[in-house]
Amino acid sequence: MPHKIKTLKAWFEEVWVNGNLDAIPELLAPNARTRGIMGDIPFAADEMAELVTMVRAMLGPIEVSYPVTVQQDDWLSALVEVKSYAIDTGDPVHVSNQFIARFDAHRMVEIYSGVDSLTLFEQLGLLPTNAMAVMLGGTALR
């Protein structure tokens, strides 16, 4: 298995599924930058542990699959599907993530994570069901 795919799987399995925050520096370069769940707000590698801890606290056990992966030069792109359930309600959670990473040797230095955070927060019960349809209709969520 190519090292980029091994690193991708380790990122999700070790960090997100197992909660092994000590794996973060092994997988992300010290100067790594990520963008994703918080929109266009970049996360430095040292902030990632807090994000992982907060998200994992809202979910039950996490399952991850990788239906599509594409590699070119220093880049890896993957469709990542995450399944779990909301801790508060027990409702199922199924979220897709378009994950793109640039590598320097065996660590990631740039991550662009196009996670469907609107659906995630709907499924966690933090937004109304069909929030996107409601907002497209012109209703503001307050």
Side-chain angles (χ1 to χ4, degrees):
M1 178 183 308
H3 80 83
K4 291 181 190 85
I5 293 175
K6 284 183 185 177
T7 302
L8 169 76
K9 289 184 175 186
W11 175 251
F12 283 99
E13 300 297 328
E14 281 301 311
V15 176
W16 290 94
V17 173
N18 298 331
N20 178 5
L21 304 178
D22 292 334
I24 293 173
E26 297 170 19
L27 302 167
L28 292 182
N31 59 341
R33 301 295 289 176
T34 67
R35 291 183 185 270
I37 196 167
M38 297 291 291
D40 203 27
I41 299 171
F43 273 87
D46 60 342
E47 299 170 313
M48 189 54 63
E50 287 183 55
L51 175 65
V52 170
T53 300
M54 288 186 291
V55 172
R56 289 186 80 248
M58 293 185 272
L59 296 171
I62 299 169
E63 297 176 31
V64 181
S65 62
Y66 315 89
V68 178
T69 58
V70 177
Q71 298 181 72
Q72 183 176 351
D73 302 323
D74 294 337
W75 291 91
L76 172 70
S77 177
L79 175 61
V80 179
E81 294 185 352
V82 177
K83 292 183 181 178
S84 185
Y85 63 85
I87 283 290
D88 290 345
T89 64
D91 291 339
V93 172
H94 182 201
V95 179
S96 295
N97 180 0
Q98 178 57 52
F99 184 90
I100 302 171
R102 183 172 64 84
F103 285 75
D104 181 15
H106 291 285
R107 293 193 288 180
M108 295 179 286
V109 293
E110 281 181 76
I111 295 176
Y112 300 93
S113 179
V115 67
D116 183 359
S117 54
L118 186 66
T119 297
L120 171 64
F121 292 122
E122 278 182 9
Q123 293 174 1
L124 289 171
L126 300 172
L127 284 173
T129 304
N130 298 319
M132 177 65 85
V134 169
M135 291 184 292
L136 285 172
T139 302
L141 299 179
R142 298 178 198 257

